[in-house]
Structures are given as C-alpha cells and as structure tokens.
Amino acid sequence: MFPHDAVLQAISPAEAIDRVRDGFVEYAAGAWQMPPKTYLDAAPNGDFRAMPAKGAGLAILKWVTSFPRNPEAGLPVVMGMICVSSASDGEPLALIDVRSVTALRTGAVAAVASQELAREDARTVGIVGCGLHGAWAARCLAAVEYGPGVCFDPNPEAAGRLAGELGWEAGGREDALGCDIVTCVTPGVSPVVQDADLRPGLHLNMLGADGPGKAEATPSAVAGCELFCDEWEQASHGGELTGAVEAGLVSREQVRELGDVLTGAAPGRSSPDAITLFDSTGLAIQDLALCVALLEAHQAGRVRAETARL
Amino acid sequence: MFPHDAVLQAISPAEAIDRVRDGFVEYAAGAWQMPPKTYLDAAPNGDFRAMPAKGAGLAILKWVTSFPRNPEAGLPVVMGMICVSSASDGEPLALIDVRSVTALRTGAVAAVASQELAREDARTVGIVGCGLHGAWAARCLAAVEYGPGVCFDPNPEAAGRLAGELGWEAGGREDALGCDIVTCVTPGVSPVVQDADLRPGLHLNMLGADGPGKAEATPSAVAGCELFCDEWEQASHGGELTGAVEAGLVSREQVRELGDVLTGAAPGRSSPDAITLFDSTGLAIQDLALCVALLEAHQAGRVRAETARL
C-alpha cells in the first residue's frame, strides 16, 4: 500500500520520462496490452474511469475520477486507486494512490512528445494552465533541459508560484503561446489556441481534453497542424482531436500515434517549419510504466510501503 | 479497508439474498448503472475483469481474477479488490477483498432466481460442484428454506463436507440432477447437463460459465428450457447461453432478464411443468449490493475496518 507521496519519493521526473517512453514502445511493439478505458458517468458532478493494462509481469487497474468542481469543496479533482496484481497468478501486489502517479505520468508524456516531435532547436516552454498537472508538465520539461518558460494561468498566483519554482517567468496567454513548445493543461472548457496562434515550427502538447466535449484548441486550429496522439481511439472520441474529427476536418490517416513514432513505424515532424500537435488523453500504459518503477524501487529498499491484511 | 472475513461477519446469507434482489430491482428500474465488464486476458493462466457499477450513492470498481489452475499452487482462483468511492465527489471510501463478496453474491443470486423461477412446491436441491462458490450457493438456498439437498463433486471429500455442514447428503451426478432445483457451479470445462437430464418442473441455476468458451449444459439442453439470465449481453457473449446462441438455437426474445421478472416487466415460469434455466454470469450490481450492506454495517458499528493512509 503506497500513499500518494511515496511515488514522488521513489521516481524522479527524469526516470518517469524514461519509463513512460519505454511503456509507449512496449505497447506499440505488442508486448504490453491495454483494453479501452471504461467511463462511469456520475453526473452532474463528474465521472469515473476504469483503466486496465498489462505488461512487465503486472496487471493494473486504475480507478480514477474527474470531478472538476471538487476544489470548491476543498477536494482534489482527481482521486482513486491503482490496484496492481501479478499477471501470472492474479495475486494482489500493491495499492497505489492515483494522485501523484497521474500527475507524474501526465507531465512525463509532455516531455516524451516534445523530445520526439518538437524542432531540434526548440528550447522555450509556454505553460497554459498551472494547476497540479500543468506544474508537473513544466517540471518534466525542465528535467529534460527545456526552458526557460513562461507560465500563464487565469490565477496569477498559480502562475507565479510555478515560475518561481523553476526560475521561469509568469506572463500572459500570448507570451506563453509565443514559446517553442506550448503545453496546454486547462480544464478544456473553452479553447485557448486559435488559428492565429499557429506559427511555423511550433510544437503543441494538448493535455487538458480527456473526455467528450472538452477541447483546448478550435477544430480549425487542430486541423492546421501535423497531428499526433497517444492513442487514436481515445483521442478521436474523447480528446483534443474529437472536434476536428467530428467536423470532418481530420481523418484517421492524418494522425500518428506516439508509440509508432518512437519505434520508427511512423514518421515524426516533417520539417523544422511544420506545426506539430500532440493530443494526450492519458493511457493506462503510462500508469503501468510508473507502477513498474515503484515496485522496483520498493524491492530495492528505496521507498516504504504499508502492509494491509486482505 | 475490509479484510475478506469482514464481509461474512457483517452480512448473513439471508441479508445477502435480500440485498442482491434489491440490486437487480434497482438496476432494472434504471436507478443503478453498470457499464459492461472489461476482460484483460492473462493467457495461458487466466484473466482479469474490471467491473464498475453505481448506485445508492456509491461507485464501485471490482478488479477480480479467474486463474483456474491456481489451486495447484495453493492460491485461490478468484482474487482481487473492490474499490468503493463516493458517487457524489469521487472520494475513496473503502477497499474490500473480493473473495467473500464474490462467493456470497454468487450464492445469493441462486437463491433469488430459485425463489422467482422454481415451482412453488420446489424443495429439494442438487448441487453439482461443491467448491467455494457451490458451497455458498448451497448455504444461500438453505437460508431460504430449500432442502434437503444432494451434493455431487468429482472430489467426494468436498461433497461430503458440504453435505455434512448442511445436514444434506452426498451423492452422484444423477442424484443431484434428480432434485427440484439443480445448481451447477463447475469450472464449465465440459457440460454436466444433457438433454436426457431435463424433466418437467425442473429449475436449473447455471453459475459456472462466466466467460467465453465455458459451458455446463449442452446447447441443445439449454435450448430445451425456458431461459432467464442476469444480463443478456454478458450471458449471450460469455455465459451459459453463448453456445446455444451461436448455434442459432436461441435468440434474444426467448431470454428474459431476472430484474425484469422481479419488477414484473417480464413473466417468470409459464407453468409448473415448464423447465426453467437461469444463467448467472455475475454482475457488478450484485457486488455493489453487498458493498452497500457492508458500509451500512460498518456505520452501525457491526464490523471493524482497518484504516489506511492515502
């Protein structure tokens, strides 16, 4: 039983990035399995997602919420557990609080996608949305030597705190969108990226839209980019790509999956002047990658766990 | 955090039967929700199932295995956890070991189906398969005044132990199949009910076939019965009905769901001489019904729980 702070004690951003990259490669190569995630609606307040995956001898199930208005009551938006079992006999091995795993693996994929898809000479980072997941995206991008960056948030205190932590600057939306690598981590309620924000050479990480009806860019802006996603099924039905797909502006063959780019099965950015957009909807293989790291850290005595009787 | 024995301390078979019946009624009435279960294959040894449900203010996710050869290594076939969260804000409320919940809710549905579908004057019980789940089916049937019964198992010791506990008899397959209510709880590897076993007035509970390729009756024997199931989608794709459906012997309109019979939306047995068959594949609403009972028992101080820090 790992409390939520154990994950951050055990796994650095740099290790999380390596582990998440490996997870995408294993999944693209067919070594890891991941059935589609299941949504359980809990209207009007939120929803639950059940996310299974299998690989590296483990089978995990993540049970995770999104209750966007929870902070008004002092509760996190994202709560839940990851059950980790042995894939060879089904025995329960560990329970992990979802909060830190989710934040760290979400941040890590922004770094993986940027390393793979941004221009070779990309350096500056714009963060649009400086909540928990925006902060971890920034930390992961900084961990692989991107920066300095500009942090924008409707709440100037959140932007200032994150900028201060990393030695970056707080700024406006346009300042953030003027950087080489723009990472959006908003609730996805209204688009923050328009056609006019697209510039040659830009790379966009879109992390906020993770369910039906959410979007951080207009469908037309999405259609103006070279498109990449974590997984087509999720991205086209409940991600940043959904609006553009439903409008008929984008079809399957225009979108490449990150794992295929990592294994060389699909090409990355076509030229330094291309505009690339990576749609992250969040995959259970990312969580699995960090569960593998956490259990290895526990075996090596680098992190403590509490024992529970079943 | 409830260890596996807490469930049996808190919930009697009689209460489990009432709770499971209520769960079917709530689901049939649309008050409870249940997305389809997801299978995660872990060949060659077994599989995992992710089973969400929502109702009575709770959202649960059951993460449960079936590893049929585990007993050779001294491990249970069925292992895992149920995560229980608040449906209004997503907060994790409890973790429950699956073993006792699964056994008790599986046994309870046999009693509910028998009360609803067997002849009014049915009394004797045949148990085919006296493992963990067969034993709980027998206990639940006994709890609602069915019996005496005949217990059959290829392992005579298992049959004798269960018969002794309930004051019933151990006997052969034919003896068990000669009873009024026959409950099959085998691994579903080969059929134990053939055409020749069908007699007017018989009621069959088929609990063993809970996944693709499993069956306890021949397709022709299934087609010779008035058919009922817990849920059509599961029963037709991974249950006792699957073989008969795939052979074209049974179609959707011939099969009624237990919840609809309980609410009066569908008729039960057509006459005392009809042969009825209930296909139980196992639903998350049954688990949810017992989670509700367990949390109520905990609030009333009738069962202890361990606290875990997240």
Side-chain angles (χ1 to χ4, degrees), chain B residues 201-296:
Chain B
L202 176 66
H203 173 70
L204 291 157
N205 293 309
M206 309 303 273
L207 307 186
D210 65 346
K214 298 183 183 180
E216 298 185 288
T218 61
S220 150
V222 169
C225 301
E226 290 185 2
L227 296 174
F228 302 85
C229 67
D230 51 8
E231 201 207 34
W232 166 254
E233 280 304 320
Q234 281 192 196
S236 59
H237 288 101
E240 190 59 48
L241 303 183
T242 309
V245 170
E246 288 177 351
L249 300 173
V250 167
S251 57
R252 174 70 189 92
E253 62 276 12
Q254 290 165 263
V255 181
R256 287 160 254 170
E257 292 185 340
L258 180 61
D260 288 337
V261 178
L262 288 165
T263 61
R269 127 184 320 263
S270 64
S271 77
D273 283 346
I275 305 165
T276 48
L277 183 150
F278 172 67
D279 178 10
S280 164
T281 60
L283 302 184
I285 52 167
Q286 296 166 242
D287 300 298
L288 174 56
L290 296 202
C291 291
V292 173
L294 185 60
L295 265 65
E296 287 180 12

Side-chain angles (χ1 to χ4, degrees), chain A residues 23-24 62 96 120 142 170 238 297 308:
Chain A
F24 274 92
K62 185 182 193 181
I96 306 171
E120 288 277 324

Side-chain angles (χ1 to χ4, degrees), chain A residues 9-215:
Chain A
Q9 286 164 18
I11 310 170
S12 68
E15 182 181 2
I17 292 161
D18 287 342
R19 296 285 190 163
V20 166
R21 184 189 300 109
D22 291 347
F24 274 92
V25 169
E26 296 287 346
Y27 179 61
W32 288 15
Q33 281 81 50
M34 179 173 56
K37 73 168 98 169
T38 301
Y39 285 83
L40 177 65
D41 184 47
N45 295 335
D47 64 61
F48 293 80
R49 298 110 195 247
M51 302 169 62
K54 191 184 73 154
L58 302 179
I60 70 157
L61 181 66
K62 185 182 193 181
W63 175 234
V64 60
T65 63
S66 177
F67 281 75
R69 293 183 314 201
N70 261 5
E72 294 166 22
L75 288 171
V77 172
V78 170
M79 288 190 280
M81 304 296 301
I82 302 173
C83 304
V84 183
S85 305
S86 158
S88 55
D89 61 21
E91 193 167 23
L93 300 176
L95 283 163
I96 306 171
D97 186 87
V98 293
R99 287 170 286 174
S100 297
V101 173
T102 303
L104 192 53
R105 63 81 145 155
T106 301
V109 80
V112 173
S114 300
Q115 290 180 307
E116 201 61 22
L117 301 172
R119 286 166 62 116
E120 288 277 324
D121 59 353
R123 285 293 166 267
T124 60
V125 173
I127 302 287
V128 178
C130 300
L132 175 65
H133 292 162
W136 279 101
R139 289 176 193 129
C140 288
L141 287 161
V144 289
E145 310 291 327
Y146 287 117
V150 177
C151 301
F152 165 69
D153 195 284
N155 172 1
E157 201 184 314
R161 197 166 45 228
L162 180 59
E165 174 188 328
L166 296 170
W168 293 1
E169 287 180 17
R173 189 193 73 94
E174 283 72 19
D175 304 318
L177 284 162
C179 295
D180 300 335
I181 295 170
V182 172
T183 299
C184 297
V185 200
T186 74
V189 176
S190 61
V192 289
V193 177
Q194 322 278 343
D195 283 358
D197 299 313
L198 302 182
R199 291 169 289 105
L202 177 66
H203 173 70
L204 291 157
N205 294 308
M206 309 303 274
L207 307 186
D210 65 346
K214 299 183 182 180

Side-chain angles (χ1 to χ4, degrees), chain A residues 3-4 35 38 40-41 45 48 54 59 61 63 67 70 75 79 83 85-86 88-89 95 97 304 309-310, chain B residues 3-4 35 38 40-41 45 48 54 59 61 63 67 70 75 79 83 85-86 88-89 95 97 304 309-310:
Chain A
H4 84 281
T38 301
L40 177 65
D41 184 47
N45 295 335
F48 293 80
K54 191 184 73 154
L61 181 66
W63 175 234
F67 281 75
N70 261 5
L75 288 171
M79 288 190 280
C83 304
S85 305
S86 158
S88 55
D89 61 21
L95 283 163
D97 186 87
R304 72 188 173 75
R309 188 175 71 91
L310 294 182
Chain B
H4 85 279
T38 301
L40 177 66
D41 185 48
N45 295 335
F48 293 80
K54 192 184 73 153
L61 182 65
W63 175 236
F67 281 74
N70 260 5
L75 288 170
M79 288 189 281
C83 303
S85 305
S86 158
S88 56
D89 61 22
L95 284 163
D97 186 87
R304 72 187 173 76
R309 187 176 72 92
L310 293 182

